[in-house]
Amino acid sequence: MRYLISGGGTGGHIFPAISIANALKELDPEAEILFVGALGRMEMERVPQAGYKIVGLPVRGFNRAQPWKNVSVLVDLVKSIKQVKKIIRDFRPDVGVGVGGYASGAAMWAAANMGIPILLQEQNGFAGVTNKILKNKAAKICVAYPGMERFFPAEKIILTGNPVRQNLTKAESRKSKVESRKTLLIIGGSLGARTINESIKAALPDLVKSDIHVVWQTGKVYHESCKAAWEAAGKPANIECLDFLSDMPERYAQADLVISRAGASSISEICLLGKPAILVPSPNVAEDHQTHNAMALVNRDAAVLVRDAEAAEKLIPTALTLLEDKAKLEVLHTNVLKLAQADSATRIAKEVMALANNRR
């Protein structure tokens, strides 16, 4: 079987794509997999690191703020569709898998028009532009949240959840028997989240005085300024200030409360692990996806929302209060677990393979 997988631009698209590929390989070791990405984007580096071949297209996103600049974008889109048609003729895939992003739009459009069945995977609670455009061409659409009938044909929707790192659920807590303090895990992604970091820096005196253990993942971009603030506060022993966490499974296992942005992958991990969380949606994401993701939990009393504009004032006071509220933490834990979707990558891979078998 041959599978064409396309999508990228951000880690939120790339990670599910690689997870689906890994699951396909586990189910069918003889499978041939080819990725299609956008030149100059993150997937061109991450996919080869995961052991898969990738071809780059010159496709770019549309400039919504200055529409008159989109002539060259349209030219590149036409070039990309022509290029991907040649890729399809050469590779002869049985199925196309689109996970969102610029390249996914061109690749899946071409595949569908050449008679290749396509499956879309939508990570967010508010569907992305690419997947909404492709919805009528898709054979199946795998989603992470209930209620996606408002975006896609109901008969095509399969609720699978988002793939997460396979080793997350296997970690044991690092907390020793002697360690009785609550642990607050603050994660801002590999690059970091400016608002969250600024809120932590401003509240360092309160965190130093508190009887909690803080794991503060700053991200690479903000680490120097955050580390300087931590040092200025006297290098408090109860606060770990780190740019990157190489041991995320153990850190999650240790955490009593998580502060995070509301990206699709992060939310899926929080659900699967049943972690009480304060979500701070990024305001800089297309179509405000992260707020929609967060509200899918908040409306079910499965997470707490602090808006980006209010984080400086409310984030740490909310966290400190919540860590003292054992009953509320238990409610969040119970409700967020109900939203978990286990084995998502394998379930999606089986749907992909079913399409391939039907075509054959």
Side-chain angles (χ1 to χ4, degrees):
M1 295 293 186
R2 298 170 182 239
Y3 304 102
L4 186 76
I5 302 178
S6 185
T10 66
H13 290 315
I14 299 164
F15 180 74
I18 292 173
S19 294
I20 293 167
N22 291 342
L24 285 168
K25 274 291 190 181
E26 285 182 15
L27 294 169
D28 178 11
E30 301 301 314
E32 293 187 39
I33 297 172
L34 178 65
F35 279 76
V36 176
L39 289 170
R41 304 294 289 185
M42 193 188 302
E43 59 266 27
M44 300 306 295
E45 180 181 340
R46 296 291 175 85
V47 169
Q49 287 174 353
Y52 297 102
K53 295 178 182 177
I54 186 168
V55 180
L57 304 177
V59 67
R60 293 177 286 142
F62 283 94
N63 189 329
R64 301 180 192 186
Q66 299 171 304
W68 60 90
K69 293 188 175 180
N70 286 324
V71 174
S72 63
V73 176
L74 286 169
V75 171
D76 284 340
L77 178 60
V78 171
K79 286 180 184 176
S80 296
I81 291 174
K82 286 182 178 178
Q83 186 176 334
V84 84
K85 283 182 176 179
K86 184 179 185 307
I87 292 168
I88 290 169
R89 283 193 294 268
D90 292 342
F91 183 61
R92 294 178 291 113
D94 293 289
V95 180
V97 180
V99 299
Y102 317 140
S104 178
M108 293 302 107
W109 182 274
N113 286 341
M114 295 174 73
I116 310 296
I118 65 170
L119 177 145
L120 304 179
Q121 198 255 334
E122 176 55 60
Q123 298 101 32
N124 294 291
F126 190 88
V129 172
T130 299
N131 283 345
K132 284 191 286 188
I133 290 171
L134 293 168
K135 65 182 179 183
N136 292 325
K137 293 184 175 293
K140 296 179 181 180
I141 304 172
C142 295
V143 301
Y145 296 95
M148 297 300 283
E149 295 84 3
R150 56 196 171 129
F151 303 110
F152 304 124
E155 68 277 8
K156 296 182 179 182
I157 293 174
I158 305 164
L159 182 63
T160 57
N162 284 324
V164 302
R165 287 168 275 201
Q166 285 91 340
N167 58 349
L168 276 183
T169 56
K170 299 175 183 176
E172 295 295 327
S173 175
R174 290 158 47 107
K175 199 173 285 189
S176 69
K177 293 179 181 179
V178 179
E179 177 65 82
S180 59
R181 292 183 300 177
K182 294 284 178 65
T183 296
L184 174 63
L185 173 63
I186 303 161
I187 48 178
S190 57
L191 298 180
R194 185 183 64 82
T195 300
I196 292 177
N197 284 327
E198 291 300 319
S199 301
I200 305 308
K201 284 159 67 175
L204 276 174
D206 294 328
L207 290 171
V208 171
K209 287 187 293 184
S210 71
D211 188 31
I212 63 170
H213 173 213
V214 179
V215 180
W216 179 16
Q217 186 257 319
T218 65
K220 295 177 183 177
V221 174
Y222 304 100
H223 185 61
E224 288 306 316
S225 65
C226 292
K227 185 180 177 184
W230 175 76
E231 290 174 345
K235 300 182 180 180
N238 70 317
I239 301 175
E240 294 183 70
C241 180
L242 305 162
D243 67 333
F244 178 75
L245 298 176
S246 58
D247 53 351
M248 275 303 298
E250 290 80 10
R251 298 296 189 166
Y252 264 130
Q254 183 185 31
D256 296 286
L257 177 65
V258 177
I259 290 175
S260 174
R261 286 299 198 191
S265 294
S266 296
I267 285 190
S268 294
E269 292 175 353
I270 287 166
C271 291
L272 190 65
L273 298 172
K275 289 296 173 180
I278 299 174
L279 301 174
V280 188
S282 170
N284 307 313
V285 176
E287 297 181 288
D288 202 19
H289 278 162
Q290 289 204 2
T291 297
H292 291 284
N293 291 346
M295 293 309 298
L297 273 64
V298 173
N299 289 337
R300 293 169 174 80
D301 201 12
V304 173
L305 176 74
V306 172
R307 297 195 180 277
D308 192 85
E310 301 173 334
E313 178 186 352
K314 294 184 178 180
L315 182 56
I316 295 308
T318 300
L320 293 175
T321 300
L322 191 52
L323 280 167
E324 295 298 319
D325 191 342
K326 187 176 180 180
K328 180 64 173 178
L329 289 174
E330 185 59 33
V331 167
L332 294 175
H333 164 71
T334 300
N335 289 341
V336 80
L337 264 182
K338 293 175 184 176
L339 301 177
Q341 296 284 339
D343 301 319
S344 296
T346 300
R347 289 159 64 191
I348 294 167
K350 286 179 178 178
E351 295 294 341
V352 173
M353 293 176 70
L355 286 179
N357 286 321
N358 287 342
R359 183 167 188 263
R360 288 273 174 112

